[in-house]
Amino acid sequence: MKKIYILVFSFIISSLILSNQYSSLAKAEEIEGEFSLLTYNVAGLWDPVSSSNPAKNTILISPKLNNYDIVLVQEDFNYHSDLIEKVDHPYLSSHSGTMGFGDGLNRFSIFLFIDFKREDWDDCNGVFDAANDCLTPKGFSFARHEISDGVFVDIYNLHADAGGSQDDKNVRKKNFQQLLSKIDQWSEGNAVIVTGDFNSKYKAEGEVRQFADAGFSDAWADFENGGIIPGIGESGDRIDKIIYRSGESLQLSVKDYAVPNEDFLDSNGKELSDHQPVSAIFEYHAEEPVEQLTLIASIASNGEPQPGQKHRSSNNFSTVNIPSGTEKLYWEIVNNSNADTISFRVKEDISLWTDPIIFNFLKNGSYTSVVKNDSIYISDPTSTGGNSFTVNVYAVE
């Protein structure tokens, strides 16, 4: 689809300069594909207090993660460097800290993801008892993964409160209510996958069943239980789950579901974590809609940082003046023969402070969320051949 847009852009670029607006006339295109996903609690607590042996096992887990397109891990605390040592995924979340400081939630992906963020649970139970959940900031993370050109799925990774007391159960209910509220806020109309260590089964009334009540399907139930979510008091599922829902323009279905435990054993046949890994293969079908594009900015950039600058390669530009109803931004690179391989960052120009990164690793044809800012610039360009290039920014309706 992007190739169609690029051809159209090249044809009418002169009129864009005059009118500053372009309406897409391309027909809707059907997009199909699949991707694999793994969720795994890697038991990365400090070794003396872990029920596994992470000081030895984490480095053994690392290369095994490369068999999956998207990997979501929990309890990635004290041995993060070992976990990523042999990971080939190009896109990794930043580590939030060791046990007691970080949430232990990380993700590795062959797909670019944007808008990554973490949120702590509002409620926890137990400091020196009840599974000690309040000793580290448990919660959930979010990112929007681009599984195909212009096709996104929102993926949440969670680690819920543990323990079996009534207080633990009450807190888990609140955990899931908090996450469902954020899904309503951040992912309205989007395809969503929620995975991780739920510490809850469907037999418990009012806990993880809230997701089924909200319209989510379960990969295990779809593939191994005839699509049926167990009733209250019924067993069969596990606490490590992959649940999902389709979106308005992206349909998800489960092609395969597995617990690939035999692939995560040491040389003596012992499990590498106190949890078993859970995987699924998703098929997706999307009909890419006709998009209304409005050019809102066109900025020239050097092929390398400007003289005297470590990162900045362009002057400031603005994305403030966008049409109402804009859903996302589309970034196009022109005027360089390496346009399809160039990547760059977008930073905000802030006085007397380090300029923050607004968007990371953008390429020709990237989509991003909408940011209104009148002091942003291009930085850290790569693969430019040392030559300048131009970035056109479009509002997508």
Side-chain angles (χ1 to χ4, degrees):
M1 191 66 174
K2 293 180 184 175
K3 292 181 179 178
I4 297 174
Y5 282 140
I6 292 169
L7 290 173
V8 177
F9 293 151
S10 300
F11 179 73
I12 62 172
I13 190 67
S14 59
S15 61
L16 280 175
I17 295 173
L18 295 174
S19 69
N20 201 44
Q21 192 168 20
Y22 151 64
S23 296
S24 170
L25 301 177
K27 294 182 180 180
E29 176 181 319
E30 290 189 356
I31 302 172
E32 295 179 341
E34 64 181 42
F35 60 92
S36 58
L37 180 145
L38 178 82
T39 180
Y40 195 19
N41 184 321
V42 296
L45 299 168
W46 182 42
D47 200 79
V49 300
S50 175
S51 58
S52 182
N53 188 3
K56 174 184 176 182
N57 291 342
T58 305
I59 193 67
L60 301 178
I61 292 173
S62 182
K64 300 175 184 296
L65 304 180
N66 294 322
N67 294 324
Y68 304 90
D69 297 330
I70 302 173
V71 176
L72 294 305
V73 295
Q74 305 84 45
E75 291 194 10
D76 178 18
F77 291 121
N78 287 41
Y79 305 92
H80 178 70
S81 59
D82 285 347
L83 190 65
I84 65 173
E85 175 69 23
K86 299 181 181 180
V87 163
D88 293 335
H89 300 78
Y91 304 106
L92 282 66
S93 59
S94 58
H95 188 40
S96 62
T98 58
M99 182 181 69
F101 299 94
D103 60 18
L105 302 173
N106 279 311
R107 65 184 66 201
F108 320 129
S109 175
I110 68 168
F111 306 111
L112 173 72
F113 56 82
I114 60 174
D115 295 342
F116 178 78
K117 60 187 97 176
R118 304 174 185 272
E119 182 164 314
D120 297 344
W121 298 125
D122 293 335
D123 300 276
C124 65
N125 181 57
V127 178
F128 300 110
D129 61 355
N132 314 113
D133 288 286
C134 299
L135 286 180
T136 200
K138 279 187 176 181
F140 61 91
S141 68
F142 162 87
R144 182 159 292 153
H145 291 248
E146 188 176 25
I147 56 175
S148 184
D149 289 349
V151 179
F152 295 86
V153 59
D154 291 353
I155 301 181
Y156 294 79
N157 183 22
L158 68 83
H159 192 182
D161 195 275
S165 71
Q166 189 58 51
D167 287 340
D168 291 317
K169 295 176 182 178
N170 292 338
V171 165
R172 274 196 296 275
K173 291 179 183 179
K174 293 178 180 179
N175 290 168
F176 299 145
Q177 289 168 359
Q178 179 183 342
L179 177 51
L180 283 165
S181 176
K182 287 300 180 181
I183 292 173
D184 287 342
Q185 178 182 345
W186 295 344
S187 301
E188 181 181 4
N190 295 345
V192 174
I193 296 173
V194 184
T195 189
D197 182 354
F198 287 73
N199 277 312
S200 178
K201 296 183 178 181
Y202 293 116
K203 65 181 180 181
E205 184 174 4
E207 294 186 30
V208 70
R209 298 191 65 83
Q210 294 178 77
F211 290 94
D213 295 340
F216 281 82
S217 301
D218 184 290
W220 162 81
D222 282 0
F223 198 74
E224 294 191 353
N225 207 46
I228 299 173
I229 300 291
I232 296 174
E234 296 180 355
S235 299
D237 59 313
R238 58 180 60 235
I239 63 174
D240 301 286
K241 299 182 184 298
I242 300 173
I243 63 176
Y244 70 98
R245 75 172 190 205
S246 296
E248 294 175 355
S249 60
L250 178 64
Q251 299 299 311
L252 295 175
S253 61
V254 177
K255 179 181 178 181
D256 192 18
Y257 171 89
V259 181
N261 195 47
E262 65 280 2
D263 296 332
F264 289 83
L265 305 175
D266 65 16
S267 58
N268 296 317
K270 186 177 180 180
E271 296 180 0
L272 297 176
S273 173
D274 57 5
H275 283 244
Q276 294 183 335
V278 174
S279 69
I281 296 177
F282 282 96
E283 294 181 320
Y284 62 87
H285 176 89
E287 185 173 276
E288 189 173 8
V290 174
E291 294 176 334
Q292 191 82 7
L293 303 181
T294 302
L295 183 66
I296 60 171
S298 184
I299 182 70
S301 171
N302 290 357
E304 56 190 15
Q306 293 176 342
Q309 298 288 328
K310 291 183 178 180
H311 303 283
R312 175 192 285 270
S313 60
S314 81
N315 296 328
N316 287 359
F317 64 99
S318 173
T319 57
V320 170
N321 296 319
I322 62 175
S324 61
T326 297
E327 297 180 349
K328 52 190 174 181
L329 301 180
Y330 178 86
W331 302 75
E332 178 198 20
I333 299 174
V334 296
N335 299 333
N336 188 298
S337 60
N338 296 330
D340 288 336
T341 59
I342 291 172
S343 69
F344 61 90
R345 291 188 172 104
V346 175
K347 289 188 172 183
E348 182 179 8
D349 188 358
I350 296 180
S351 299
L352 304 178
W353 200 253
T354 301
D355 292 350
I357 297 172
I358 305 301
F359 296 121
N360 209 4
F361 302 119
L362 295 190
K363 295 184 177 182
N364 186 30
S366 288
Y367 288 84
T368 66
S369 56
V370 175
V371 169
K372 293 184 178 181
N373 195 310
D374 60 2
S375 299
I376 56 179
Y377 60 89
I378 307 299
S379 74
D380 305 299
T382 66
S383 303
T384 63
N387 299 317
S388 63
F389 60 99
T390 300
V391 176
N392 295 325
V393 188
Y394 296 87
V396 183
E397 300 177 63

